[in-house]
Amino acid sequence: MSVDDLLKRYQTGERNFKGINLIGGYLNGVNLSGASLKGASLSEVDLSKANLVGVDLTEASLVRANLTGANLTEANLSGANLHEAKLTGAILDGAVLKMADLIDADFTAANLEGANLYGAHMMGTLLQGAIMPDGKINN
């Protein structure tokens, strides 16, 4: 599926895009709120400033994806692979990141308030200035 196909189908009301492959795609600033991208291959996709509120990204691959400034409020990223992903300034309030691979991801200045990070793999993760689930800023 191409980025254009995805956006056209989303605009017509479709929300189930389970398992799609958009490696290297450009989705900067798009609205995909409420979509199911469960198991999708989104490695190296530019999703900066995207509206991903309530999106299901369970077990999705977001390796080296750009999620700078994206709104992932209440998104489900359980088991997702965000290895080396860039989430600078992203909003993850209430997001579920259980068992997610966050190794070497950049969460600088991200809002993780209310996020569920249970069992997440965070080796090398940058959290400078991030608002953590306990409400404290990590410096």
Side-chain angles (χ1 to χ4, degrees), residues 13-98:
E14 186 174 343
R15 296 295 180 265
N16 187 0
F17 302 103
K18 200 161 98 174
I20 65 165
N21 182 346
L22 290 175
I23 295 174
Y26 183 78
L27 292 165
N28 178 289
V30 300
N31 177 16
L32 292 174
S33 61
S36 175
L37 296 164
K38 186 175 183 173
S41 294
L42 303 169
S43 296
E44 299 181 9
V45 170
D46 183 357
L47 286 158
S48 54
K49 299 180 183 173
N51 180 1
L52 303 170
V53 174
V55 170
D56 183 358
L57 288 158
T58 305
E59 297 182 355
S61 175
L62 293 149
V63 175
R64 289 182 298 281
N66 182 3
L67 293 149
T68 301
N71 187 348
L72 290 148
T73 301
E74 302 293 330
N76 187 350
L77 294 125
S78 295
N81 185 349
L82 291 143
H83 190 99
E84 296 182 24
K86 186 170 184 176
L87 293 111
T88 305
I91 302 166
L92 292 119
D93 188 16
V96 178
L97 295 129
K98 289 171 31 176

